[in-house]
Amino acid sequence: MTLSEVIRLLTKKKVILFLRTRAIVDRTVILAQSKLIHLAPRVRINNYTVIKPHNAFVRIGKGTIIGESCVIYGHGGITIGDNCLIAPNVSIMAIEHEYSESGKLYFNQPLKFKGIKIGNNVWIGASATILDGVEIGDNSIVGAGSVVRKSVPANTLVAGVPAKEIKKLEP
Ligand SMILES: CC(C)(COP(=O)(O)OP(=O)(O)OC[C@H]1O[C@@H](n2cnc3c(N)ncnc32)[C@H](O)[C@@H]1OP(=O)(O)O)[C@@H](O)C(=O)NCCC(=O)NCCS
């Protein structure tokens, strides 16, 4: 990307962010509690993505690309490794609500969270959802539209609802 392209893409606030992190963040991206979001160099975040650490943290490793309209809720802490490809409309939700107290509104019941860890060179297909407590190993792939409830070993392709192993990948 040329310098003029970088400047065209960024507002003044984003220019400051770019100078601080060397990450490219599109104009309409929302980074709530930005001090709790760590962007490594060459991270790229596309338009309409929302990242909310919710008093925990979201760390995104170098070279990782996050597509349009992703939603990342960090309550239990989220680490995304280097050189990952997160396709558009992916949700990464490190948060669950208790639902055991009948008659009480779900949003008034306690929250619970463990956090989510995504390794290096992971490709998450469009509209997939990654739920709390999941770890995804290096070089793995999550198919489009999958719901990932259980951890995924390294070098594994999973897909479906719930996501299941489809095949092993060459490391
Ligand atoms: C996961 C993916 C890479 C697999 O591609 P592939 O290796 O060519 O897989 P195949 O098409 O040979 O499918 C293998 C099996 O997995 C199933 N499968 C593949 N992708 C699936 C998905 N997203 N959800 C559910 N099942 C899926 C197939 O139905 C097939 O099942 P079968 O053997 O019972 O018929 C691809 O399907 C996918 O989801 N790509 C994401 C694309 C995307 O999000 N692009 C955005 C740009 S970053």
Side-chain angles (χ1 to χ4, degrees):
M1 181 171 287
T2 64
L3 185 60
S4 62
E5 282 175 311
V6 169
I7 289 165
R8 188 171 47 78
L9 279 168
L10 300 174
T11 61
K12 192 175 165 192
K13 197 173 157 197
K14 307 294 183 193
V15 169
I16 293 166
L17 185 69
F18 175 73
L19 292 175
R20 189 163 58 79
T21 64
R22 295 287 185 265
I24 307 228
V25 176
D26 278 355
R27 199 169 49 84
T28 60
V29 169
I30 294 174
L31 301 177
Q33 295 183 296
S34 58
K35 289 201 169 100
L36 300 177
I37 300 173
H38 179 264
L39 304 179
R42 295 184 289 102
V43 164
R44 170 79 215 237
I45 307 180
N46 289 329
N47 274 313
Y48 306 110
T49 281
V50 176
I51 302 180
K52 293 187 172 183
H54 285 284
N55 300 322
F57 61 87
V58 175
R59 296 189 191 115
I60 304 177
K62 57 181 186 290
T64 284
I65 299 169
I66 307 220
E68 288 80 0
S69 303
C70 294
V71 180
I72 300 177
Y73 280 7
H75 300 72
I78 293 177
T79 304
I80 302 175
D82 298 341
N83 300 312
C84 291
L85 177 55
I86 314 289
N89 211 33
V90 166
S91 298
I92 304 177
M93 295 285 145
I95 172 70
E96 296 279 353
H97 290 270
E98 290 282 359
Y99 57 88
S100 53
E101 295 176 62
S102 59
K104 194 169 181 186
L105 297 172
Y106 295 126
F107 59 68
N108 286 333
Q109 299 200 31
L111 304 178
K112 53 180 184 178
F113 32 75
K114 298 177 188 152
I116 293 174
K117 286 187 188 150
I118 297 172
N120 299 322
N121 186 36
V122 170
W123 174 25
I124 301 182
S127 299
T129 299
I130 314 299
L131 296 176
D132 186 47
V134 163
E135 297 192 16
I136 302 179
D138 294 348
N139 310 315
S140 286
I141 298 173
V142 174
S146 301
V147 176
V148 185
R149 189 78 185 104
K150 293 183 180 159
S151 291
V152 178
N155 308 302
T156 306
L157 190 157
V158 298
V161 180
K164 299 228 162 78
E165 182 174 323
I166 304 282
K167 61 177 101 160
K168 285 289 181 199
L169 303 165
E170 289 294 320

